[in-house]
């Protein structure tokens, strides 16, 4: 059954093109290690909330846009095997390239498909 990595980040709106470039570079790495789908979404109608919301979750500032992305893996086992290799890949080293957003405010996790 498919397995998903999902992330949400606050990206400076002015960095949209840099974000797309970064996503393409990272996507190539994930595909190389077996990801079978990558999706990147740029916020359009992402309301703030009183208790919780996407913008609140990533401490989105006025000059930022919420971005959401996911990676589909063929299985949890494929995901786990890939991530062991991905974390050793020099392209993923912290000094390999600067993320066009504050990674400390990114939220992410792994999810099993329900249906």
């Amino acid at each position: 059954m498919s397995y998903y990595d999902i992330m949400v980040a606050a990206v400076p709106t002015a960095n949209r093109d840099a974000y797309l470039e970064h996503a393409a570079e990272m996507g190539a790495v994930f595909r190389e290690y077996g990801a079978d789908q990558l999706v990147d979404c740029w916020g359009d109608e992402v309301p703030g909330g009183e208790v919780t919301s996407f913008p609140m979750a990533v401490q989105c500032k006025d000059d930022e846009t919420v971005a959401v992305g996911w990676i589909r893996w063929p299985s949890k086992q494929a995901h786990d095997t890939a991530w062991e290799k991905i974390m050793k890949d020099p392209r993923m080293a912290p000094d390999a390239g600067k993320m066009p957003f504050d990674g400390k405010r990114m939220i992410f996790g792994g999810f099993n498909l329900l249906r």
Side-chain angles (χ1 to χ4, degrees), residues 3 24 29 35 49 52 71 73 81 85 111:
Y3 190 78
V29 173
T52 189
I71 305 166
W73 300 93
T81 299
K85 296 173 184 174
F111 295 84

Side-chain angles (χ1 to χ4, degrees), residues 42-49 53-55 65-68:
W42 192 254
D44 179 44
E45 294 182 18
V46 187
S53 67
F54 279 112
T65 300
V66 174
V68 176

Side-chain angles (χ1 to χ4, degrees), residues 23-96:
E25 291 171 2
M26 295 298 97
V29 173
F30 298 136
R31 282 194 189 280
E32 183 178 319
Y33 289 105
D36 57 18
Q37 183 187 36
L38 295 117
V39 176
D40 291 290
C41 302
W42 192 254
D44 179 44
E45 294 182 18
V46 187
E50 292 182 27
V51 178
T52 189
S53 67
F54 279 112
M56 290 171 69
V58 293
Q59 301 173 3
C60 194
K61 299 174 184 170
D62 290 341
D63 64 342
E64 295 177 324
T65 300
V66 174
V68 176
W70 63 87
I71 305 166
R72 184 180 69 200
W73 300 93
S75 65
K76 171 77 162 124
Q77 181 180 3
H79 163 272
D80 292 350
T81 299
W83 273 102
E84 283 183 37
K85 296 173 184 174
I86 288 168
M87 296 313 294
K88 295 175 184 173
D89 191 302
R91 295 171 290 179
M92 297 298 287
D95 58 346

